[in-house]
Amino acid sequence: MSSAEIAAVAVTYAPFLGGMMVGCFLFGITISQTIIYFRNYKDDSLFLRGLVASALAVDTFHFVMVAEGVHNWYIFCKMPANYAGLALFHWSLGASIVATYVITSMVQGLYVMRVWMLSKNLWVAIFISFLSVAQLGFGLWLWEDLLVANSLNVLHQTKGQIGGSVELAATTLCDIAISAALWWYLHRGRTGFASTEKMIDKLILYMVNLGLLTSVASLLTLILWLVMPSSFAFVSLTLIRSKLYCNAMLVTLNYRQTVRTALGHGTQQSSRYVHDIDGGVEMNSKVSKNSRH
């Protein structure tokens, strides 16, 4: 392989390096948010604490796998004897892809439970769950195809394009559906009491906007995937997706202290619906149960 060909490959894989650099910054935020969570919410249910710990573990695994992939392409494969490895689907990239799908499903699952506890609408919860399962299923289908072929060129073939497009579309629609459902059911909770109105506005701002953040990231990834199919420009966003989902979940959970403080200053009548909202966010933690008495 000539120097010009190596340089061309390096440019092609540049989004992997860019995604890792941004991921380092976001991973640091994830760690700090996790520390804040475990310090402030020691009374949370075992389910929630386990979910946060699992998300951090999977995201740490994702970070290490991306780092190994970048090391493989930018250092190991630059050795003349290893040039052929530049065109292969490295195992670490496959592991990071699976980690991304797992974290996405975990966080979307938490949001589905929140939507269910706010709405008690089974069909809405089933629809959102279907989209989340679809992104996981088609994502693993694409991963399996890459693993068998052992080549990144699969991403530019028909099967890879279909699998990737459906996975990204399902992820985007799921996030949009979650944001829309949260906005709708929070908006329905307006009672006319000033304290309740202010609290609901804040909940909408945090919950819905965090959902829109992941929606926009998924949508931009899908656009880059469809508009620039011959490049790996979409990868830079794909590599930070798990970090965005982790931080969205952690910020939402850590915001509950603000909700509790606001509830403590409200009347029982004006804050009754917000107690229900807080219960949905708390996911049956001990604090949520005590806040109702």
Side-chain angles (χ1 to χ4, degrees):
M1 184 178 289
S2 66
S3 299
E5 290 175 326
I6 295 175
V9 171
V11 171
T12 300
Y13 289 161
F16 290 91
L17 181 60
M20 179 188 172
M21 294 173 66
V22 177
C24 288
F25 172 74
L26 293 176
F27 184 61
I29 297 177
T30 300
I31 293 176
S32 64
Q33 288 287 336
T34 303
I35 293 173
I36 291 172
Y37 169 78
F38 280 108
R39 282 182 176 177
N40 295 337
Y41 297 94
K42 297 179 181 179
D43 292 328
D44 265 355
S45 64
L46 182 60
F47 167 77
L48 264 187
R49 292 170 66 83
L51 180 66
V52 172
S54 298
L56 177 63
V58 176
D59 198 36
T60 301
F61 174 76
H62 175 273
F63 179 77
V64 173
M65 290 300 98
V66 171
E68 169 56 27
V70 171
H71 165 266
N72 174 71
W73 279 317
Y74 283 89
I75 298 179
F76 181 75
C77 290
K78 289 297 183 67
M79 301 177 184
N82 303 320
Y83 285 164
L86 290 170
L88 301 179
F89 178 67
H90 196 251
W91 63 269
S92 61
L93 179 60
S96 70
I97 290 175
V98 174
T100 296
Y101 297 147
V102 170
I103 290 179
T104 301
S105 297
M106 290 170 62
V107 177
Q108 287 177 341
L110 181 67
Y111 276 101
V112 168
M113 294 178 69
R114 182 177 297 118
V115 169
W116 161 249
M117 297 184 78
L118 285 173
S119 67
K120 297 299 187 292
N121 190 319
L122 181 61
W123 292 112
V124 171
I126 289 177
F127 174 70
I128 298 175
S129 299
F130 171 78
L131 292 174
S132 181
V133 172
Q135 74 83 22
L136 177 62
F138 278 92
L140 292 177
W141 182 53
L142 175 62
W143 166 79
E144 187 270 340
D145 200 27
L146 285 165
L147 193 65
V148 172
N150 194 26
S151 173
L152 289 172
N153 291 328
V154 169
L155 295 174
H156 303 143
Q157 297 174 1
T158 302
K159 184 178 179 180
Q161 286 287 301
I162 293 175
S165 298
V166 175
E167 183 271 322
L168 289 171
T171 301
T172 304
L173 289 175
C174 184
D175 290 342
I176 293 175
I178 289 171
S179 297
L182 288 174
W183 175 85
W184 173 251
Y185 290 110
L186 286 170
H187 184 73
R188 285 181 58 186
R190 299 184 182 278
T191 61
F193 291 96
S195 59
T196 305
E197 295 285 310
K198 186 177 181 179
M199 191 68 256
I200 290 178
D201 286 340
K202 288 184 178 181
L203 286 168
I204 290 175
L205 176 65
Y206 278 85
M207 289 187 180
V208 176
N209 285 355
L210 285 171
L212 288 177
L213 175 64
T214 55
S215 301
V216 171
S218 298
L219 181 60
L220 289 177
T221 306
L222 178 60
I223 291 173
L224 289 174
W225 171 273
L226 295 176
V227 174
M228 305 174 67
S230 60
S231 73
F232 294 113
F234 67 93
V235 171
S236 57
L237 289 173
T238 300
L239 293 182
I240 66 173
R241 197 170 89 182
S242 66
K243 312 284 185 295
L244 292 177
Y245 276 97
C246 272
N247 281 296
M249 177 185 69
L250 288 167
V251 170
T252 300
L253 293 175
N254 288 334
Y255 178 64
R256 292 173 298 160
Q257 190 62 51
T258 302
V259 176
R260 294 172 185 173
T261 302
L263 289 176
H265 292 87
T267 65
Q268 184 174 2
Q269 283 185 321
S270 65
S271 62
R272 182 175 300 166
Y273 185 79
V274 184
H275 270 296
D276 293 336
I277 294 172
D278 186 41
V281 177
E282 297 285 356
M283 308 304 293
N284 290 326
S285 71
K286 298 176 183 177
V287 173
S288 177
K289 293 177 181 178
N290 292 336
S291 69
R292 296 174 187 271
H293 297 292

